[in-house]
Amino acid sequence: QVQLVESGGGLVQAGASLRLSCAASGRTSSSRAMGWFRQPPGKDREFVAVINWSGGSTYYADSVKGRFTLSRDDAKNTVYLQMNSLKPEDTAVYCCAARPGLDGSIHETSFDYWGQGTQVTVSS
């Protein structure tokens, strides 16, 4: 089992920044990558970004590329999502998820453990 706990969400104005954290505990050795997904109000969940624990390679959705940055702290088993230049359309519940494979998949079915999520609201 892997437990994931997100933090760092909040209410900000457009153009502001937020940093989300995802702390992993438990059997973290089973996880090869950590992803972030978001679910805007009334919409389906969508992929945001993913980072591999080994090597730190990252991949971003086009909608956040250039504005969001992933990083990791191996000692703390924590992944960070730095979100800059936030837009109202970034408003969503953001969840982190653990992926056991290194296959590069960004589909949510490839991720087997999920956090509860943290709300990000961006006002115009």
Side-chain angles (χ1 to χ4, degrees), residues 30-33 52 99-105 110:
S30 66
S31 169
R32 296 292 182 265
N52 287 339
R99 190 184 73 201
L102 276 174
D103 54 10
S105 173
S110 298

Side-chain angles (χ1 to χ4, degrees), residues 61-103:
D62 288 343
S63 58
V64 306
K65 200 173 295 182
R67 299 188 297 123
F68 290 12
T69 304
L70 278 168
S71 62
R72 74 193 197 282
D73 185 329
D74 295 343
K76 296 182 178 180
N77 284 330
T78 299
V79 170
Y80 303 99
L81 182 65
Q82 178 67 41
M83 306 187 296
N84 298 330
S85 302
L86 283 163
K87 305 175 182 180
E89 51 263 44
D90 294 318
T91 295
V93 175
Y94 284 72
C95 291
C96 63
R99 190 184 73 201
L102 276 174
D103 54 10

